[in-house]
Amino acid sequence: MPDPLAFARALAAAAAVSAAVLVACRFLLSRSASTAIPALTIPAVLAGLVVGYRMLQFPWIWPPTNALNRFLMIVLPTVLSVEWLAGITTSAGLRHHSDSDSGRKWVFAGKQIGWLRLGLCLLAGRILLHDSVYLRRGNPEAWTSLQSWIQWSGFAVLLLVLWSRLRHLALRRAPGSVGASLALAILCGGMTTMMTGYLRGGTAALPLAATVAATSLALTLWYEPDWLPQSSLHAGIIGIGAVGLFSLLCIGRYFGQLTSLQAVVIFLSPLMCWITEHPRLSVLTGWKLWTVRLLLVAIPLGAVLFDAKREFDERMAPLVAVVEYSSRSA
Amino acid sequence: MRHVFTAGLLSLIVTAAIFGDVREASAADEYTYDLVHSSVSFKARHLDISWIHGRFNEVDGKFSLDREDATKSTFQLTIKAESVDTANAARDEHLRQPDYFDTKQFPTIEFKSTKVKAIEGGFEVTGDFTMHGKTKQITFPLMGGSKEVETRGVKRVGFSTELKLKRSDFGFDKNAIGPIGDEAIIIIDCEGMRKSDA
């Protein structure tokens, strides 16, 4: 049975650990060593995730037997590794002058990370659905080859679009709010998955949402914009958030009872942040910009949650129904 | 008089042939699982105060019986996990989800015997039971199998058994066990059928 207190504790612990690692780095590293920060955001996220998942008693199962295990043991470590590599190349690139030989080498290395990200977009869905009824020959629900290619292509395009648009938005301004909107979508995805009946699948979203939100906030509050390019700090978190959101919604949709509409609305909701780039809203800055962006993202998420709650009450009511007996006079 | 007696005897023989021929089953007979006259049901504790009952509606299997050497007999059963039925649609949907049977990842529950020995009243069957992606060896008594009944050209033999299994032994998430108890009692009553020899 869901234990809201245990969820809250794990959320708080994951967020606190991630933020604490980043804040400690901020105050322990000298200004000259600050170029290492992009490489340190990923270990901060990792520390928070490990604490959060341990508190929620998620086992580390190898080889992974189901989609959630494959997410925790393959997809999540892969995206953490790719973004950590990206962070290292960014740090090294910031350290070396771009005109120097080593600087050019690091810039080149940084561009290769794009191929790894593309590979992740292409393979994430396939990994999550491995050995499921959709891919088993002879199973009545198995996809044909054409259907499989359409699915993989669709997954890759959706993830690429979200990831690239959010990275582009983060390069423009307030990158922390992009991470925060991703965290909100992940949290909503988790709660919706729980309400459609897959408790553990929804619970897995909590530490991820917490660490993405906490690191986005910590980087925004404790790292001055002129000290380091903010976008270079947030790129890794956005990657982890985008792939994590995609994976959890994929699991909820194909193994749980999440509908396609719910999954697509939640997945694309962070793109609502782009509305603030309209010329009339471009005057917004700072916390006002954050607030408007998060409110815009919350609109479709709120609609999905409201609908999921309504369906949950309808579906679960018979299981928890209280039979009322009317007393009759003799 | 003789004609009447012969006609009566012939009628008796025909009647016996149509309505039943109870005799011992011959060795190495292959049977297929008769879904119409069989059931795989289960029960599990709810809040430790009552039992929740359910069944699987889609089951397939086959077995072979060797009367001369029981160790050569084999038993095989495949249950479609998605066919779980607890007379409540909401609960059935919930049971199909990854917190329980995870039917999209593990569509079938299977049993395949590895060792059979004759015991009084039936067989002791040992085999690999696979559920939720995990395989464990189990042993249980399978009562019946001694009588073979022939009706309308089909020979039938019946078995029954009851076994206890823990869901946590088969990879079910311990945190999702919830109000439904870890241990489930599975009751199998099955008939196998084969065509009569011409």
Side-chain angles (χ1 to χ4, degrees):
Chain A
M1 293 297 279
D3 182 354
L5 210 55
F7 292 165
R9 279 197 290 259
L11 263 169
V17 167
S18 293
V21 169
L22 277 178
V23 172
C25 292
R26 162 72 175 86
F27 292 106
L28 290 173
L29 287 175
S30 64
R31 208 171 180 92
S32 59
S34 63
T35 50
I37 299 298
L40 292 171
T41 54
I42 306 308
V45 171
L46 178 62
L49 288 175
V50 169
V51 167
Y53 284 125
R54 287 310 296 164
M55 285 184 72
L56 292 170
Q57 296 174 23
F58 276 89
W60 311 114
I61 296 175
W62 191 265
T65 52
N66 62 21
L68 192 55
N69 296 154
R70 287 190 289 275
F71 167 64
L72 292 173
M73 300 303 292
I74 299 175
V75 177
L76 196 53
T78 303
V79 69
L80 285 166
S81 303
V82 168
E83 293 307 320
W84 190 37
L85 267 173
I88 290 170
T89 57
T90 302
S91 293
L94 287 169
R95 210 171 165 75
H96 295 91
H97 199 277
S98 57
D99 284 342
S100 65
D101 281 340
S102 42
R104 275 193 288 272
K105 206 165 49 177
W106 284 113
V107 167
F108 176 76
K111 285 181 180 170
Q112 306 317 302
I113 301 291
W115 291 108
L116 291 175
R117 287 175 173 144
L118 178 63
L120 197 50
C121 290
L122 290 170
L123 291 174
R126 176 61 185 85
I127 292 168
L128 294 169
L129 294 178
H130 177 68
D131 207 29
S132 66
V133 295
Y134 308 103
L135 303 180
R136 280 194 203 191
R137 277 190 195 170
N139 190 288
E141 290 184 74
W143 295 332
T144 60
S145 296
L146 180 63
Q147 283 173 317
S148 297
W149 279 109
I150 292 171
Q151 292 283 344
W152 307 142
S153 309
F155 289 161
V157 165
L158 275 173
L159 185 48
L160 268 171
V161 163
L162 181 80
W163 197 344
S164 62
R165 296 321 298 159
L166 289 180
R167 282 200 69 197
H168 190 190
L169 183 62
L171 284 169
R172 291 165 71 96
R173 54 189 187 135
S177 64
V178 178
S181 68
L182 267 171
L184 199 58
I186 292 168
L187 187 63
C188 172
M191 289 168 66
T192 308
T193 302
M194 277 195 236
M195 282 193 278
T196 56
Y198 184 5
L199 183 62
R200 292 300 268 170
T203 309
L206 301 180
L208 187 63
T211 52
V212 169
T215 46
S216 298
L217 204 57
L219 286 171
T220 303
L221 291 175
W222 279 290
Y223 290 84
E224 292 87 7
D226 58 350
W227 195 20
L228 275 176
Q230 277 275 306
S231 55
S232 66
L233 302 176
H234 291 267
I237 298 161
I238 290 168
I240 292 163
V243 174
L245 177 64
F246 167 80
S247 301
L248 291 167
L249 293 175
C250 195
I251 292 168
R253 166 61 185 85
Y254 289 99
F255 296 92
Q257 294 271 286
L258 213 60
T259 64
S260 297
L261 182 63
Q262 286 170 329
V264 169
V265 168
I266 295 170
F267 186 69
L268 297 178
S269 62
L271 294 177
M272 294 287 281
C273 292
W274 270 98
I275 293 175
T276 60
E277 299 310 289
H278 189 277
R280 286 202 177 169
L281 294 174
S282 60
V283 296
L284 291 170
T285 55
W287 66 269
K288 285 181 188 168
L289 178 57
W290 270 69
T291 306
V292 170
R293 279 185 174 178
L294 290 177
L295 279 174
L296 284 169
V297 172
I299 293 168
L301 294 180
V304 168
L305 273 174
F306 178 81
D307 185 56
K309 178 71 169 71
R310 186 184 53 79
E311 279 209 34
F312 172 81
D313 290 339
E314 270 176 28
R315 213 177 46 245
M316 294 303 288
L319 287 178
V320 297
V322 175
V323 178
E324 292 176 1
Y325 291 94
S326 59
S327 59
R328 293 181 182 185
S329 54
Chain B
M1 186 66 182
R2 222 163 73 182
H3 293 303
V4 170
F5 177 76
T6 308
L9 188 60
L10 275 169
S11 304
L12 207 62
I13 292 167
V14 167
T15 306
I18 291 170
F19 290 104
D21 177 12
V22 179
R23 59 185 171 89
E24 298 295 315
S26 56
D29 295 321
E30 302 270 339
Y31 297 85
T32 53
Y33 183 89
D34 179 8
L35 182 63
V36 174
H37 298 100
S38 308
S39 81
V40 176
S41 56
F42 61 88
K43 62 179 187 178
R45 295 290 278 173
H46 179 246
L47 296 172
D48 211 22
I49 56 171
S50 66
W51 293 95
I52 297 279
H53 290 253
R55 56 179 292 147
F56 292 98
N57 293 327
E58 288 182 47
V59 184
D60 195 14
K62 59 182 179 185
F63 50 89
S64 68
L65 290 179
D66 190 326
R67 291 291 164 186
E68 286 163 22
D69 185 358
T71 60
K72 291 183 181 167
S73 302
T74 60
F75 296 87
Q76 206 171 309
L77 202 66
T78 301
I79 301 166
K80 197 171 171 187
E82 210 166 50
S83 67
V84 63
D85 181 0
T86 62
N88 183 288
R91 182 166 50 215
D92 295 343
E93 278 304 322
H94 199 197
L95 289 174
R96 293 182 187 116
Q97 296 225 39
D99 284 337
Y100 294 95
F101 286 108
D102 199 358
T103 58
K104 299 296 184 193
Q105 186 70 63
F106 311 113
T108 55
I109 300 167
E110 293 176 13
F111 174 79
K112 202 166 180 180
S113 67
T114 53
K115 193 169 86 175
V116 178
K117 79 174 187 199
I119 58 172
E120 192 178 334
F123 301 92
E124 185 182 85
V125 181
T126 301
D128 295 328
F129 186 85
T130 303
M131 182 167 67
H132 208 258
K134 274 215 169 171
T135 300
K136 279 179 75 82
Q137 196 174 68
I138 60 170
T139 301
F140 56 90
L142 191 64
M143 310 314 290
S146 57
K147 278 187 193 170
E148 187 182 54
V149 175
E150 182 169 349
T151 55
R152 295 178 185 167
V154 177
K155 294 182 179 176
R156 295 171 176 279
V157 71
F159 290 99
S160 65
T161 188
E162 197 173 291
L163 41 134
K164 287 183 186 175
L165 295 169
K166 278 192 176 170
R167 290 188 287 142
S168 55
D169 287 344
F170 289 90
F172 283 76
D173 194 334
K174 284 182 182 141
N175 293 299
I177 299 286
I180 300 179
D182 189 19
E183 194 173 80
I185 297 172
I186 300 170
I187 305 120
I188 302 175
D189 291 296
C190 68
E191 268 186 34
M193 56 185 184
R194 67 183 181 99
K195 278 203 177 139
S196 297
D197 304 323

